[in-house]
Amino acid sequence: MEKISVIIPTYNRASQILGAVGSVMAQTLAPFEIIVIDDGSTDNTAEVLAPVLDRIRYIKTENGGVSAARNRGILKARGEWIAFLDSDDTWEPSKLERQWNAVSKANSKVCFCVSTDEQGDPLDDLHLMDPALGRGDDKFYQADDCRLFLHSRHPFLQSMLVEKKALMRVGIFDESLKVAEDTRLIYNLILAFGYSVVNEKLVNICREREAPGLSDSVDAAGAFKRHDCYIRVQSGAYWRLLPVNRDAAIRVRNNMHYFMSRQAELACALRRKSVAKRYAFAGLAPYGKWKSLCRNLFILAAYPVAEKVFVRKWSAGSAEKP
């Protein structure tokens, strides 16, 4: 049996970290090692983990963000396979065993399973991608099978089991990305190696945060930086998909134009006229979401009015909506 290293980045989640670690310790297929990367926590995380320090590798670093923490875990890992878990999420006991059986059967290098919220509802589209895949079944999809890109939500990183050599070959997490770093990595892996799917709910995602996360911000400047990351990731995927699968490339292109439209809105809110018009023009296309097209036309045709509207919207702390 290959060795599996489980990497758990954490930051100020002393009240939840033991739940995540405990769910890994309860696996029917025990991992080779559990690596907890403490990304500069200022709470009592170390004290909370004291009872299990003999069963985990605890590494504390200066705060550098989740990508830096995960990358450090990857480089420190001694296993041939890697699995990721966030410190506020948990796994079902058979998660690693079911995935290991799937990759062994298909000789695949990447495997995903279904992730759910607190109510047990799926948070990804794995259950929609292949209607012929029954509940509890597993299947391997070749790298040129691009059905995953035709859906709105890709698998969660917390559901992935990946061969370390494959992970290193495509490149680890891009630390320049503040968001969508997991999307970029997942896209790169499946386009390079294909992937297996276990159609079973094996990952529990916590959606009720104790403190606001980056994606909860309604600050226009922060949202502008976030959307820039989305555009970079979707653009990279588009050019890789274009020679492989036209329908998948079009879907990603539409996503990209949506984010350009939102960038134009955010630039208006930041009173950056030339930037707003540049994004609005770049995202001007007669396909995709009609709201994006209307937003771009509004900005290009009536910028002074658009600026007032979007400054007011973001100054009032409006949540992001499609």
Side-chain angles (χ1 to χ4, degrees):
M1 190 195 74
E2 302 288 353
K3 298 176 180 177
I4 300 175
S5 296
V6 178
I7 298 171
I8 307 176
T10 188
Y11 177 72
N12 285 347
R13 285 195 178 132
S15 64
Q16 296 171 294
I17 183 63
L18 276 182
V21 172
S23 75
V24 179
M25 291 180 174
Q27 290 296 297
T28 54
L29 175 61
F32 173 69
E33 62 182 353
I34 303 171
I35 305 174
V36 176
I37 306 293
D38 186 340
D39 190 37
S41 293
T42 56
D43 62 6
N44 62 330
T45 293
E47 296 175 18
V48 168
L49 289 172
V52 296
L53 286 179
D54 60 331
R55 300 179 62 186
I56 68 173
R57 293 176 63 191
Y58 176 68
I59 302 171
K60 185 160 186 176
T61 67
E62 293 184 3
N63 183 257
V66 67
S67 291
R70 286 175 179 148
N71 284 343
R72 178 143 190 189
I74 293 168
L75 298 177
K76 292 286 185 180
R78 298 183 295 229
E80 285 89 9
W81 288 76
I82 302 289
F84 299 97
L85 179 62
D86 284 359
S87 55
D88 57 346
D89 301 325
T90 59
W91 288 341
E92 292 300 311
S94 60
K95 192 263 189 189
L96 291 181
E97 182 176 7
R98 291 286 289 112
Q99 289 190 297
W100 178 252
N101 290 339
V103 298
S104 298
K105 181 171 68 175
N107 194 28
S108 57
K109 300 180 182 299
V110 186
C111 182
F112 300 100
C113 58
V114 179
S115 300
T116 64
D117 60 17
E118 290 87 347
Q119 286 72 46
D121 296 324
L123 291 170
D124 49 47
D125 284 346
L126 289 183
H127 63 300
L128 300 175
M129 287 195 317
D130 188 352
L133 185 63
R135 182 177 299 179
D137 292 343
D138 58 78
K139 185 176 179 179
F140 175 72
Y141 300 89
Q142 299 286 348
D144 60 355
D145 184 321
C146 298
R147 69 184 67 209
L148 185 146
F149 293 94
L150 298 174
H151 294 269
S152 59
R153 295 176 292 183
H154 61 69
F156 276 65
L157 185 73
Q158 298 91 314
S159 79
M160 184 171 74
L161 176 66
V162 58
E163 185 186 55
K164 185 177 179 180
K165 288 181 180 179
L167 187 60
M168 299 301 292
R169 197 175 304 167
V170 302
I172 51 182
F173 292 95
D174 185 343
E175 296 181 26
S176 70
L177 294 171
K178 300 305 179 184
V179 293
E181 74 290 338
D182 54 341
T183 301
R184 179 182 182 275
L185 181 63
I186 289 170
Y187 284 177
N188 286 345
L189 283 167
I190 64 177
L191 286 171
F193 304 109
Y195 59 101
S196 289
V197 164
V198 177
N199 188 20
E200 190 172 339
K201 299 176 180 179
L202 298 172
V203 178
N204 307 303
I205 303 293
C206 176
R207 308 296 281 180
E208 298 176 358
R209 297 178 180 143
E210 293 184 343
L214 178 62
S215 60
D216 299 313
S217 171
V218 293
D219 172 73
F224 187 88
K225 293 178 181 178
R226 193 160 64 247
H227 280 67
D228 179 64
C229 297
Y230 295 141
I231 292 170
R232 287 170 55 191
V233 171
Q234 297 296 321
S235 175
Y238 171 73
W239 291 111
R240 292 192 63 180
L241 285 167
L242 191 59
V244 179
N245 187 296
R246 179 178 177 274
D247 290 339
I250 289 174
R251 177 61 183 259
V252 170
R253 180 192 63 188
N254 291 345
N255 291 340
M256 188 166 53
H257 280 94
Y258 161 74
F259 287 122
M260 286 180 177
S261 169
R262 295 309 303 273
Q263 279 293 68
E265 172 186 322
L266 290 161
C268 283
L270 296 170
R271 294 187 171 90
R272 298 170 63 180
K273 179 179 179 179
S274 62
V275 175
K277 288 196 169 186
R278 191 180 310 131
Y279 273 110
F281 185 78
L284 199 61
Y287 42 74
K289 295 183 177 181
W290 68 269
K291 286 186 178 180
S292 298
L293 177 62
C294 291
R295 185 185 294 118
N296 289 331
L297 289 172
F298 177 40
I299 292 169
L300 290 171
Y303 178 81
V305 178
E307 181 181 283
K308 291 180 181 179
V309 169
F310 293 129
V311 165
R312 188 181 309 115
K313 172 183 176 181
W314 285 88
S315 296
S318 300
E320 292 185 59
K321 295 182 180 179

